[in-house]
Amino acid sequence: MPGFSDISTQLQKSLSEALTIFYPLGGRRSDSFSINCNDEGAIYIEASVNINMDKFLKPPKIEFINKLLPCEPNKKHPYQQVLPQLQVQVNIFNCGGIAIGLCNLHTILDALSCSAFLKTWSSICNGSRDGISLPDFSSASSLFPPRNTFGVRAGVLNIDKSSEIEVQCTTRRFLFMTKSINELQAMSENDGIYPRPTRYKAVSSFICKHMIVACTKEPCDRTRPVVVLHVVDMRKRMGEPFSQDSIGNLLWPAVVLCENVNKDSKVGDLVRLLEQEIGKLTKELFLKVQNDHGFMWSDECAQLMLEGMANKNPISFVFTSWVNMGFRELDFGWGKPLWLAQRGGTKESIPNTVVLMETDEGIEAWVTMEEKHISILENDVEFLRFALLNPSVSNI
């Protein structure tokens, strides 16, 4: 492995080249919906970490993860504040190990778009160029051009002030081993009565059940409706002209109303609720969104978005998956990553969010909740029968 000075030069040079391909990332946010492509570039920072990597990862120091990032993650900014699209922090550990921390705005990048950029950057850096993407910036914007949503019913756009309230939250990392995932899938089949659910549906439904139980311990919360939002990638469901190289926030929410969930609820029942709502997100629906300019004002859209729930003080949850997006295959020239991480620590944030990420052992769930609720979850015996709380990274 070359010295860090050579690595630093290689990373910066290849980043500059990647930004010429993904040119909007070198611009600045003008507002929440537009980018000034002025070629100001990305922010690049280098930092020394006064610890060996193996000690940092056995077990992972989740409370210090954010120190490896170039900015405070998931931070809200004023609507018209000018911001860089991309910030990078390259961290060098005492042992010579390297961690690359990345923060990007959601103006144009969803997780799959971010993966396409990182594949391009890493391929240029390692000299192979096999993974260089030819980003398609036109398909999303031509099929779904910006629209004036003035007058759209508040519930359709999910305008709920309570969902924007940031509270003191803590993030925990849980690992679901492949054996546990198989068991959850089998439980959801109900002795073969129902088809075997995907890993995502089984794991997310199990987590959702136990998060709901943790958040409804107080009597005042038991009567509140529970709304669970699952982020769905439109590319696979819509097909052509979209592809893996289509850049943009090509996402649509599957919104699930979960009623009367308690510790005795069956995971399979939550799986079927989720399947029912995801099943509504068809190519026909997205063509309707594209071609019918009145769809956002329609009763059909209002029903999909559970209009009216915003006025009932719901408890909201958000699930998203970074599984099978190629992050584990990135190679900047010194091998594939030992481990991938989300944000960590305790900070002001929107509660009840879950990001699923794949590992060699199974699936990691990065769960962010209010401190009083996460403490209930991490002491839930039934939950911990399937989920390991922040184990050491095994391949160090």
Side-chain angles (χ1 to χ4, degrees), residues 275-302:
E275 289 177 335
Q276 178 181 327
E277 295 306 319
I278 289 181
K280 296 175 182 177
L281 306 186
T282 61
K283 181 172 184 176
E284 289 69 30
L285 171 70
F286 297 138
L287 288 174
K288 193 177 294 185
V289 175
Q290 175 193 350
N291 299 318
D292 181 358
H293 288 194
F295 181 76
M296 297 292 287
W297 285 261
S298 70
D299 290 339
E300 181 182 358
C301 187

Side-chain angles (χ1 to χ4, degrees), residues 17-26 109 113 116-117 120 133 135 137 247:
E17 189 174 339
L19 287 173
T20 65
I21 300 172
F22 285 76
Y23 62 91
L25 300 187
L109 290 186
S113 300
F117 167 73
T120 295
S133 296
F137 294 110
I247 305 301

